[in-house]
Amino acid sequence: MTDKMLKFTEIGQQNPPKREVDKRKSDFNEIYDEFITEKAKEQASRCSQCGVPFCQVHCPLSNNIPDWLKLTAEGRVKEAYELSQSTNNMPEVCGRICPQDRLCEGNCVIEQSGHGTVTIGSMEKYITDTAWEHGWVKPIKIQSEKNQSIGIIGAGPAGLAAAEQLRKQGYKITVYDRYDRPGGLLIYGIPNFKLEKFVVERRTNLLKESGIKFVQNFEVGKDSTLDQLRKKHDALLIATGVYKAREIDLPGNDLNNIFPAMEFLTASNRKGLGDKVDLFDKGVLNAEGKDVVVIGGGDTAMDCVRTSIRQNAKSVKCLYRRDKQNMPGSAREVANAEEEGVEFVWLSSPKEFKGLSKIEKVIVDQIQLGEPDDSGRRRPEIKIGSEFEIKADMVIKALGFDPENLPTLFDAPELSVSKWGTIKTDFDTMETNLKGVFAAGDIVRGASLVVWAIKDGRDAATSIKKYLENKEIKQSKVA
Ligand SMILES: Cc1cc2nc3c(=O)[nH]c(=O)nc-3n(C[C@H](O)[C@H](O)[C@H](O)COP(=O)(O)OP(=O)(O)OC[C@H]3O[C@@H](n4cnc5c(N)ncnc54)[C@H](O)[C@@H]3O)c2cc1C
Ligand code: SF4
């Protein structure tokens, strides 16, 4: 804390009149801003400009981290922002929710020499939040609009990044989404405590102000077929994410108060956005006062346990069939959850749900790890006769997501998909087997990360631009 901040805290012990309080609040904000700016400069100056920027190499967007840290250390935050936004459509989002321990920060040379990483994510957030505060983030202004139009199915990070890149080139863009708000998992999946909703909304509002048309509550497969959209636009991008929740078929699965993760998280996010959510208000989709059991070990499971804690659950237990070292979720998320009071029941697997009409307890088998399977991870095996029970008023299943059956849903049986149901694309161009139809994000990769979705959206935009330019040349030759 700076001397100025200490002084302010001392002043705050007295009981001043309102006008004085307002003045002190504004003084505080000024001092606080100064404090944060100093902290940011201090943190940025820790970058050793090592000349081997492993951080940049391990950022999926190849962000020019050393240079924007240098500019920030010199107080040139506006230039740092210009540089940062040139490779990332949502730096403030990635700064908040990238698993930096696995990406940029985990590969910081200073971290590897044992002196603690430069906090790259929080610097990225600081730079872009500062840019928003100062009005440096502006809607796109195009010189002249092109005649060609692109339809984008899905308003998640992949679709939004592509929309922005293509709008900058002057194309007409329409984004279709079956939700009532744009943002995809940024708005209804990832909880508010990790990514505040206003951060997503100000981004999507900026895209609207840039002339991108959003058609919400529009489900491709119900409100139109893929073919109808192909006829309407010169090119299409499918960026629909993966939403089919993986299931465990156990006795008692149909008892009340057992929910898929997305139902629980969406209700909580809707409440945070100010929506009326009957099932939450009636206490059904609300963990308050309950013994909650979450099944799964990925980041979605971590979001469920941490949301339950914030809803004042009586107890929160997380069942995971492997051990802590083999957990798929980010180590940082697990540490946060433990700190907040979540109990992890490692090496455990649910066997049966029991109760009269509602869940009352989960019967659980203990697990031991056997020989490695095809993926190289040690295979979980049930310890015979090891079962025990855990009291539960609410169970949340967070076992991961698979793609929906898009060829059937879109009435496009000719659309080529992999054996997992993800869309097959050309490795270089991201075009599907249907001419002029491209795909990006989780629907191609399987459940992944926001930063990869943004990267895919940008790459798809580059390919779509090339495709449309060629199309125009061919058409002009025919004419
Ligand atoms: C609970 C949870 C927490 C996560 N936390 C993190 C995290 O902390 N950090 C991180 O990097 N990643 C996280 N992820 C992963 C990340 O959210 C995804 O990888 C990313 O959002 C994928 O982007 P996308 O654009 O491909 O798809 P999505 O974000 O899923 O967007 C797809 C959009 O397509 C729309 N859509 C689908 N089908 C149709 C249709 N038929 N017609 C019209 N619209 C349709 C959907 O409504 C949605 O808006 C998390 C995921 C979950 C589920
Ligand atoms: S986008 Fe993610 S990986 Fe890249 S610098 Fe930012 S926080 Fe790190």
Side-chain angles (χ1 to χ4, degrees), residues 59-61 63 65 68 88 94-95 98 100 103-104 120-121 124 451:
C59 165
L61 293 163
N63 280 344
I65 300 161
W68 44 252
N88 190 351
C94 292
C98 267
Q100 287 100 6
L103 301 169
C104 52
I120 299 166
E124 197 175 19
V451 65

Side-chain angles (χ1 to χ4, degrees), residues 195-327:
L195 176 62
E196 310 92 302
K197 299 304 153 191
F198 83 88
V199 172
V200 184
E201 288 185 325
R202 72 182 175 190
R203 268 284 155 203
T204 50
N205 286 339
L206 190 83
L207 295 179
K208 286 176 192 168
E209 286 166 39
S210 302
I212 295 169
K213 192 174 161 202
F214 283 84
V215 184
Q216 301 296 147
N217 298 309
F218 185 99
E219 180 164 351
V220 180
K222 205 173 91 198
D223 299 308
S224 87
T225 63
L226 189 69
D227 207 39
Q228 283 166 336
L229 286 187
R230 282 181 85 188
K231 289 192 179 115
K232 204 165 166 188
H233 297 284
D234 297 285
L236 277 187
L237 176 69
I238 305 176
T240 47
V242 289
Y243 284 87
K244 196 170 94 190
R246 285 192 196 134
E247 261 301 338
I248 28 165
D249 195 13
L250 296 180
N253 225 351
D254 53 353
L255 286 170
N256 288 336
N257 289 2
I258 302 179
F259 301 105
M262 271 306 283
E263 202 174 330
F264 174 70
L265 292 173
T266 304
S268 174
N269 277 321
R270 280 199 179 280
K271 277 308 286 182
L273 283 155
D275 292 356
K276 186 157 171 40
V277 184
D278 281 344
L279 284 179
F280 185 96
D281 297 337
K282 286 180 188 150
V284 180
L285 272 170
N286 181 345
E288 189 175 356
K290 293 181 182 155
D291 290 308
V292 179
V293 172
V294 175
I295 303 169
D299 286 337
T300 304
M302 294 311 100
D303 287 346
C304 292
V305 292
R306 298 185 70 198
T307 300
S308 302
I309 292 274
R310 281 161 180 74
Q311 290 179 1
N312 289 325
K314 194 163 140 203
S315 74
V316 183
K317 292 194 173 60
C318 180
L319 305 188
Y320 180 56
R321 63 194 181 137
R322 289 189 165 92
D323 55 11
K324 194 173 183 174
Q325 288 68 38
N326 286 291
M327 195 140 175

Side-chain angles (χ1 to χ4, degrees), residues 97 154 157-158 177-178 184-185 194 218 220 240 243 303 442 448 450:
I97 59 162
D177 200 290
R178 65 183 173 194
L185 288 172
K194 271 168 65 182
F218 185 99
V220 180
T240 47
Y243 284 87
D303 287 346
D442 279 5
S448 179
V450 169

Side-chain angles (χ1 to χ4, degrees), residues 171-190:
Y171 293 106
K172 292 179 195 156
I173 315 286
T174 308
V175 182
Y176 302 91
D177 200 290
R178 65 183 173 194
Y179 281 149
D180 54 348
R181 292 182 172 94
L185 288 172
L186 302 181
I187 202 94
Y188 287 135
I190 301 173

